[in-house]
């Protein structure tokens, strides 16, 4: 996202975030790609499947290693964005309803807690994953 993290800072953040019980090397592959080598399969499963990881408010995309990976040739196939739903009726500020709306837009990753509690008031916010090869919906009809 245009902001580089120093290697040792990133590694410390990953330890804090993942809370795994093993030491791991963090290898810089260039182009803002890194690889992590894990000895325990349960740690790999936890990292790949147990959450959406954020560092300093930025989404950390985590994928299983692909043989013959070359960072300069890698292409992102999706992105993650915050979507605002302005003027959403208060009765729709419900976790289930916001989840349905988010999954209609893309793959829902997170609902803004202020939005779901109707504390912000002006709009709801949803964090969704969108494929880069498909056009983005510019509206969604609700009701």
């Amino acid at each position: 996202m245009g902001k580089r993290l120093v290697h040792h800072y990133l590694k410390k953040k990953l330890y804090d975030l993942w809370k795994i019980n093993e030491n791991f090397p963090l290898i810089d592959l260039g182009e803002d790609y890194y690889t992590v080598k894990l000895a325990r399969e349960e740690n790999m499963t936890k990292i790949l499947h147990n959450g959406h990881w954020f560092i300093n408010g930025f989404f950390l995309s985590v994928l299983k290693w692909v043989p013959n990976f070359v960072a300069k040739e890698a292409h992102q196939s999706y992105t993650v964005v915050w979507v605002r739903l302005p003027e959403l009726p208060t009765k729709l500020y419900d976790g289930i309803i916001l989840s349905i709306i988010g999954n209609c837009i893309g793959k829902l990753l997170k609902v803004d807690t202020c939005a779901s509690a109707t504390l912000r008031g002006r709009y709801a916010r949803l964090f969704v994953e969108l494929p880069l090869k498909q056009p983005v919906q510019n509206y969604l009809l609700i009701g």
Side-chain angles (χ1 to χ4, degrees):
M1 299 305 245
K3 189 172 185 178
R4 305 236 32 209
L5 298 176
V6 179
H7 186 274
H8 68 276
Y9 178 80
L10 176 59
K11 189 168 182 178
K12 181 188 178 325
K13 285 293 194 180
L14 292 175
Y15 272 114
D16 295 344
L17 190 63
W18 292 340
K19 296 178 181 22
I20 59 175
N21 53 358
E22 74 174 270
N23 190 11
F24 58 83
L26 177 66
I27 302 164
D28 188 346
L29 302 175
E31 305 292 319
D32 293 330
Y33 287 94
Y34 293 84
T35 188
V36 172
K37 292 186 179 183
L38 300 166
R40 298 185 177 150
E41 189 169 344
E42 65 267 17
N43 288 334
M44 180 188 69
T45 301
K46 175 183 177 181
I47 291 167
L48 289 173
H49 301 289
N50 288 2
H52 307 291
W53 309 109
F54 294 86
I55 296 179
N56 296 345
F58 292 96
F59 181 67
L60 176 68
S61 179
V62 180
L63 303 169
K64 191 171 181 178
W65 175 254
V66 178
N68 304 316
F69 177 83
V70 177
K72 271 208 178 299
E73 297 172 5
H75 298 285
Q76 286 292 115
S77 58
Y78 65 91
T79 190
V80 291
V81 295
W82 281 106
V83 175
R84 288 186 183 189
L85 303 174
E87 301 177 19
L88 189 67
T90 308
K91 66 183 179 181
L92 299 180
Y93 278 74
D94 173 79
I96 295 170
I97 294 172
L98 291 173
S99 294
I100 292 169
I101 294 169
N103 283 313
C104 286
I105 297 168
K107 179 181 175 186
L108 179 67
L109 302 178
K110 187 176 183 178
V111 175
D112 182 5
T113 54
C114 290
S116 63
T118 67
L119 298 174
R120 186 159 289 160
R122 292 191 344 249
Y123 56 86
R125 288 190 336 152
L126 307 173
F127 199 58
V128 295
E129 179 182 289
L130 298 172
L132 291 172
K133 293 183 179 181
Q134 293 178 7
V136 177
Q137 289 180 251
N138 56 1
Y139 70 91
L140 178 67
L141 185 59
I142 301 171

